[in-house]
């Protein structure tokens, strides 16, 4: 299996590390400019493709790790070329684009794997298993929290350009919409607010969303781009009628570092970092690789990726209109 | 100012807090605890005996004994009747929360106390919590900058182990939303100096579904007049084997980041053969004690208590709007 990666930021780099552990062969990278992709290509001893189309002729699988707004056009090109696709979350910037991607991939008979890595984090995967095993009974309420600092890219920070990324309510909080839906099933309504709606110039951003699932369960999703670097903190609470599950990254950190240092450095985006034997990003890519090789489902479908985008889009609309948004069922979710 | 003892009576043990308040009252020098009256005579007599206080044969007898103040611990929907009795005897009132279960009752409670010239305090003990006071002081000092949002929880176990009326729609006025909305609404009003303008709520009954008829799960999103938005998780989602009864937490998001506050974090964790599970024993300061002391001092100094009847009324307004939102599926203006 030949794979190439579009986008060489943090996610492209991380996915490459994952692919390198599989039987797949990384054949090259593409980015906005050749110069951008050169260091990573050199690291793996592979080529830089001048553009995405050039990449398609030499691969079986493309892994799309570009900024969100580019997922849709690149995925459609890949689908038309008959290539399997791994696509970083959010699957697309809008529900309409995500629907088109799912349909195009189905028509072309290619796989579309949505990289929602939270499902592959051991604590989140274990909590899911515990719920599925019936350890806490019927789920009544879920609380998910994900907090870090504002992504800080020196130039052209697409994370902060809501037309490109969807902003906090999409880019950050989609992780937990997807997880809530994995735990408690389809979502029927969304109500959300975020700081930068009323305060566009605020130095931080923070969002809150209340989801109602068709099962009757409720989810409370909180997302913060508000904390001092290098903070990255997540927590989950799943309350059932026969018990509850709790996780807080701050309370389960196995190492507390109290070493003095002169300067505090931090990566461009906050990252979760509980030491485990295999990076969850690698776990994800290995599972996707196996799914593609063995023609079996991964733990997340293209429809799941679409559904998460639909929730995120509803959250954005709710925050803009101060109304509860009711979600229509999309046939493509179950394709 | 008066140096005579402050004479206090307790009206009903329907709310289990009544028993805790006895000890709080005893801890205050210059307080004379006259006793209790309870329309459930057997309960009143039993708990009076257990706590070593006098049990009056009726509320009228208690009020005729001339207390300076009463602490009202009836079921929620019966607060108005008790307040009207006390106010008509010109007796100051500390009323358990929520102040009432209807807007009409809450307004009537405030009005009669005003008309009678008696003090009316709502039992919001978190206003006296040491950690919350610390954060309020730093907020007022400008340490946090502008406040943008709260992410708050007031979760508990289903309170039926204390009293069954907590899940009676008539006596309690509702379930988890009625029980757990008012504390955080009051804290936010206190911190922000702004009133709630709108509330959105979702409720369900999955916890204890077969045992109760009221909502046991509830999430609310409140928007204040100054633009601050806040969620409250009011659910009875804690199981009975949780290390304590529940808790009250909030994350306050500001222009400089966030402050995470847990009103009941100051615990020892105790593992022993008897419990066979971890149990938290609270060593923090007793906010109930500070609240009861403020009521006594307000009577003594003839001043307003630090939490008023209006505070109780405003919290009831938000709670009732939350029920209307849960029914309609859209946010409701207050």
């Amino acid at each position: 299996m030949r794979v190439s990666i579009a986008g060489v930021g943090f996610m492209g780099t991380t996915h490459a590390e994952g692919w390198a552990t599989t039987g797949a062969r990384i054949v090259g990278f593409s980015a906005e400019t050749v110069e951008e992709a050169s260091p990573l290509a050199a690291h793996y001893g592979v080529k830089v493709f001048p553009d995405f189309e050039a990449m398609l002729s030499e691969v079986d699988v493309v892994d799309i790790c570009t900024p969100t707004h580019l997922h849709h056009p690149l995925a459609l090109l890949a689908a038309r070329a008959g290539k399997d696709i791994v696509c970083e979350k959010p699957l697309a910037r809008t529900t309409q684009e995500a629907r088109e991607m799912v349909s195009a991939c189905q028509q072309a008979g290619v796989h579309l794997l949505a990289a929602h890595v939270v499902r592959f984090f051991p604590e989140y995967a274990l909590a899911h298993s515990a719920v599925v095993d019936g350890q806490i009974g019927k789920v009544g309420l879920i609380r998910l929290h994900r907090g870090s600092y504002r992504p800080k890219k020196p130039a052209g920070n697409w994370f902060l350009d809501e037309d490109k990324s969807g902003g906090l309510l999409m880019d950050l909080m989609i992780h937990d919409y997807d997880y809530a839906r994995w735990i408690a099933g389809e979502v029927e309504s969304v109500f959300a607010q975020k700081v930068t709606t009323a305060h566009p110039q605020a130095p931080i951003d923070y969002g809150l969303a209340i989801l109602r699932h068709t099962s009757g369960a409720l989810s409370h999703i909180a997302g913060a781009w508000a904390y001092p670097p290098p903070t990255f903190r997540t927590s989950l609470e799943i309350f059932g009628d026969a018990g509850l599950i709790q996780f807080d990254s701050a309370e389960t950190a196995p190492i507390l570092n109290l070493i003095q240092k002169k300067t505090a450095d931090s990566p461009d985006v906050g990252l979760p970092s509980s030491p485990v034997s295999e990076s969850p990003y690698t776990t994800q890519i290995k599972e996707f690789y196996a799914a593609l090789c063995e023609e079996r489902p991964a733990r997340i479908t293209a429809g799941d990726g679409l559904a998460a985008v639909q929730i995120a889009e509803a959250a954005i609309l709710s925050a803009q209109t101060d109304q509860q948004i009711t979600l229509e069922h999309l046939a493509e979710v179950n394709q | 100012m008066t140096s005579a003892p402050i004479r206090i009576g307790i009206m009903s043990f329907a709310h289990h807090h009544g028993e805790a308040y006895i000890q709080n009252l005893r801890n205050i020098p210059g307080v004379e605890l006259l006793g209790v009256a309870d329309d459930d005579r057997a309960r009143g007599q039993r708990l009076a005996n257990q706590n070593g206080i006098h049990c009056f044969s009726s509320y009228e007898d208690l009020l005729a004994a001339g207390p300076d103040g009463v602490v009202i611990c009836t079921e929620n929907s019966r607060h108005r009747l008790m307040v009207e009795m006390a106010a008509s005897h010109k007796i100051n009132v500390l009323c358990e929360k929520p102040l009432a279960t209807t807007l009409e009752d809450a307004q009537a409670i405030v009005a009669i106390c005003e008309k009678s010239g008696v003090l009316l305090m709502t039992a919001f003990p978190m206003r006296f919590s040491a950690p919350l006071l610390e954060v309020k002081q730093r907020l007022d000092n400008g340490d946090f900058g502008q406040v943008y949002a709260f992410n708050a929880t007031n979760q508990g176990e289903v309170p039926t182990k204390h009293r069954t009326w907590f899940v009676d729609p008539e006596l309690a006025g509702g379930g988890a939303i009625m029980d757990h909305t008012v504390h955080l609404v009051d804290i936010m009003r206190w911190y922000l100096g702004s009133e709630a303008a709108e509330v959105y709520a979702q409720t369900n009954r999955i916890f204890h579904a077969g045992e109760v008829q009221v909502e046991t799960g509830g999430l609310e999103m409140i928007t204040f007049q100054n633009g601050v938005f806040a969620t409250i998780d009011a659910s009875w989602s804690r199981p009975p084997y949780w290390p304590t009864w529940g808790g009250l937490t909030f994350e306050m998001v500001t222009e400089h980041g966030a402050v995470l506050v847990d009103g009941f974090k100051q615990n020892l964790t105790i593992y022993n053969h008897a419990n066979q599970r971890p149990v938290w024993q609270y060593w923090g300061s007793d906010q109930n004690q500070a609240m009861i002391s403020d009521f006594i001092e307000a009577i003594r100094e003839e001043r307003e208590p630090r939490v008023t009847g209006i505070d109780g009324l405003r919290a009831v307004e938000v709670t009732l709007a939350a029920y209307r939102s849960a029914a309609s599926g859209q946010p409701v203006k207050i």
Side-chain angles (χ1 to χ4, degrees), chain B residues 261-313:
Chain B
V261 183
D262 186 333
F264 297 92
K265 182 93 167 176
Q266 294 160 299
N267 301 300
L268 293 181
T269 305
I270 297 184
Y271 305 81
N272 64 18
H273 279 36
N275 286 312
Q276 296 282 308
R277 64 183 173 94
V279 172
W280 290 339
Q281 286 191 15
Y282 181 73
W283 51 260
S285 304
D286 180 2
Q287 53 266 23
N288 281 340
Q289 182 66 60
M291 176 181 76
I292 297 287
S293 295
D294 187 71
F295 180 55
I296 300 302
E297 285 161 26
I299 294 172
R300 192 173 275 147
E301 298 167 10
E302 296 175 11
R303 63 158 170 87
E304 279 284 292
R306 276 183 37 215
V307 198
T308 66
I310 294 289
D311 294 323
L313 167 62

Side-chain angles (χ1 to χ4, degrees), chain A residues 140-141 143 145 191 193 199 202-203 206 208 212 216 218 220 222 226-227 239-244 246 322-324, chain B residues 146 148 150-151 153 155 198 200 202-204 206-207 223 231 233 235 237 239 241-242 251 253 255 257 329-331:
Chain A
L141 201 139
R143 297 184 61 83
H145 186 287
F191 188 76
Q193 298 214 47
H199 307 281
Y206 191 92
L208 292 167
R212 188 179 186 93
L218 304 176
H220 181 278
Y227 306 147
F239 299 90
D241 67 356
L244 71 89
Q246 287 191 313
D322 192 31
Q323 291 291 299
Q324 173 183 280
Chain B
Q146 184 179 358
Y148 293 134
F150 289 91
N151 171 1
T153 71
Q155 301 156 327
E198 180 188 285
Y200 170 85
Q202 281 286 351
T203 65
N204 65 14
I206 291 176
F207 315 118
T223 307
T231 50
D233 181 342
S235 305
S237 50
Y241 38 85
W242 180 252
E251 175 177 14
V253 181
E255 62 180 309
Q330 287 296 347

Side-chain angles (χ1 to χ4, degrees), chain B residues 207-222:
Chain B
F207 315 118
H208 310 282
E211 305 155 36
V212 306
Q213 295 309 307
V214 290
E215 80 282 356
T216 52
L219 295 175
E220 300 161 77
M221 179 104 71
I222 299 166

Side-chain angles (χ1 to χ4, degrees), chain B residues 44-97:
Chain B
Q45 193 62 60
R46 176 170 52 82
L47 293 175
N49 290 347
Q50 275 178 23
N51 289 282
I53 62 170
H54 177 62
C55 185
F56 290 88
S57 57
S58 69
Y59 293 123
E60 283 299 331
D61 281 359
L62 166 61
L63 298 174
D68 298 296
V70 288
V71 184
I72 295 173
C73 295
T74 59
E75 299 87 348
N76 299 342
S77 67
R78 308 189 64 238
H79 288 167
R80 177 179 174 177
L81 186 64
M82 298 294 117
V83 173
E84 285 174 344
M85 287 176 73
S88 68
H89 284 78
K90 304 287 180 198
I91 294 166
N92 299 299
V93 171
L94 168 56
C95 185
E96 189 49 70
K97 66 86 209 172

